[in-house]
Amino acid sequence: MSEKSFRSILTGSFSTPCADNPTVAMIEAGYHHAGLDARYINCDVKAASLADAVKGAKAMEWAGFNCSLPHKVAVLDHLDDIAESAKLIGAVNCVAIRDGKLIGHNTDGKGFLTSLKTVTSPTGKKVVILGAGGAARAIAVELALAGAAHITIVNRDASKAEAIAKLIRDNTDVSGDAQEWSGKFSTPAGTDILINATSIGLGDPKTVPPIDMSSLTKDTVVADVIPNPPQTRFLKEAKAIGCTTLDGLGMLVNQGVIGVEIWLGRTLDSAVMAETLETIFGTENK
């Protein structure tokens, strides 16, 4: 009879507030389906306690952890090494612990890229990204590294958009520019992929980014990073035009899958994880 181990693999998340983060349900469903004795612990960690939380995870020999707001930049001060794309993005949302060393990664953009590839390749495409926050920055970097032809960043504060465009121009072979978002934005002719990387529509099925939808064609792939509701009004309006659409559930699921691959070297079942989220969000939106 083989010995039974009562020690679970520990992973988790540090953020505040954290009670509305469904990642724990998604990843633990994936762990259970894979037969892994692993836990994902959703921790409310205030900014002043981040250093202690990181030391605790290392001391307890966690396999790794996610960092969400407000820790994605602050955690950089507590790491031993940072993956190349995370250095470009300037933020880390996934930390692996290997032999007592902490290595930072960013799976936001990678999760989006994996999801995008289910409907189209970014290679050689003209991309427009709405917003200039952390998600927009991560997505822009990963799309540039994946060979997009041109990336336009659109934001009310044009200087923030230009900072991302300059990052792309200076560090990749991809051209990038910034446009100020004033009034209804008209998507430039020839745009292959339009991405809403803002929080407009999060938790609100009636709100939509101020876009001139008549500027879209059915050849444009329209994506939204918002996972709840999965079918935002923005996507519904784009679908009515005939556009191929991509919801934010795929990005959330895939960044979870990628994170666990980094921590454990195991690939979880994305369908099981997506079904878990759909059940959660479906219940919340009834």
Side-chain angles (χ1 to χ4, degrees):
M1 181 177 174
S2 60
E3 284 190 21
K4 168 72 175 172
S5 172
F6 296 96
R7 184 190 186 193
S8 300
I9 298 166
L10 297 180
T11 59
S13 175
F14 300 156
S15 65
T16 186
C18 77
D20 61 349
N21 184 353
T23 303
V24 55
M26 172 185 81
I27 290 186
E28 289 211 331
Y31 285 161
H32 178 75
H33 185 266
L36 287 169
D37 182 8
R39 295 297 313 277
Y40 186 95
I41 304 166
N42 191 23
C43 304
D44 196 300
V45 176
K46 305 296 187 289
S49 300
L50 178 63
D52 288 337
V54 172
K55 286 177 185 174
K58 180 178 176 180
M60 290 184 284
E61 298 185 352
W62 284 28
F65 56 88
N66 289 127
C67 273
S68 194
L69 294 173
H71 306 311
K72 291 186 179 184
V73 175
V75 76
L76 295 172
D77 293 335
H78 307 288
L79 304 178
D80 298 298
D81 199 7
I82 307 169
E84 200 59 42
S85 62
K87 286 179 185 175
L88 274 182
I89 295 164
V92 159
N93 76 329
C94 178
V95 176
I97 303 175
R98 293 270 190 282
D99 301 319
K101 300 292 185 184
L102 292 97
I103 302 108
H105 302 262
N106 193 304
T107 61
D108 282 333
K110 286 181 170 62
F112 177 83
L113 184 61
T114 301
S115 186
L116 178 67
K117 285 179 177 178
T118 65
V119 294
T120 190
S121 167
T123 306
K125 300 292 172 60
K126 292 182 179 178
V127 182
V128 173
I129 300 175
L130 306 173
R137 190 180 181 94
I139 289 168
V141 166
E142 295 296 349
L143 288 177
L145 294 175
H150 183 85
I151 299 174
T152 298
I153 311 295
V154 183
N155 197 55
R156 295 197 186 284
D157 184 341
S159 64
K160 289 183 178 179
E162 174 54 30
I164 297 177
K166 186 176 187 301
L167 176 75
I168 296 305
R169 293 194 303 266
D170 290 352
N171 294 281
T172 74
D173 296 328
V174 178
S175 59
D177 72 310
Q179 290 192 28
E180 183 179 0
W181 195 349
S182 179
K184 278 199 170 186
F185 178 73
S186 183
T187 308
T191 297
D192 298 301
I193 304 168
L194 173 65
I195 305 161
N196 174 34
T198 76
S199 60
I200 299 172
L202 179 62
D204 185 352
K206 296 179 181 177
T207 305
V208 64
I211 299 292
D212 178 5
M213 299 302 285
S214 68
S215 64
L216 297 177
T217 73
K218 62 180 178 58
D219 297 322
T220 309
V221 172
V222 177
D224 205 325
V225 303
I226 291 171
N228 182 23
Q231 288 302 310
T232 58
R233 181 180 164 191
F234 179 52
L235 292 183
K236 287 178 179 176
E237 291 188 5
K239 192 172 288 186
I241 295 169
C243 301
T244 298
T245 61
L246 189 68
D247 66 44
L249 273 184
M251 175 179 172
L252 187 58
V253 168
N254 284 312
Q255 69 183 35
V257 170
I258 293 165
V260 173
E261 287 175 346
I262 290 169
W263 297 331
L264 308 182
R266 292 285 296 271
T267 301
L268 301 184
D269 190 320
S270 60
V272 168
M273 294 163 69
E275 186 179 330
T276 301
L277 290 181
E278 286 164 3
T279 300
I280 291 169
F281 294 148
T283 301
E284 288 181 352
N285 291 323
K286 281 181 180 175

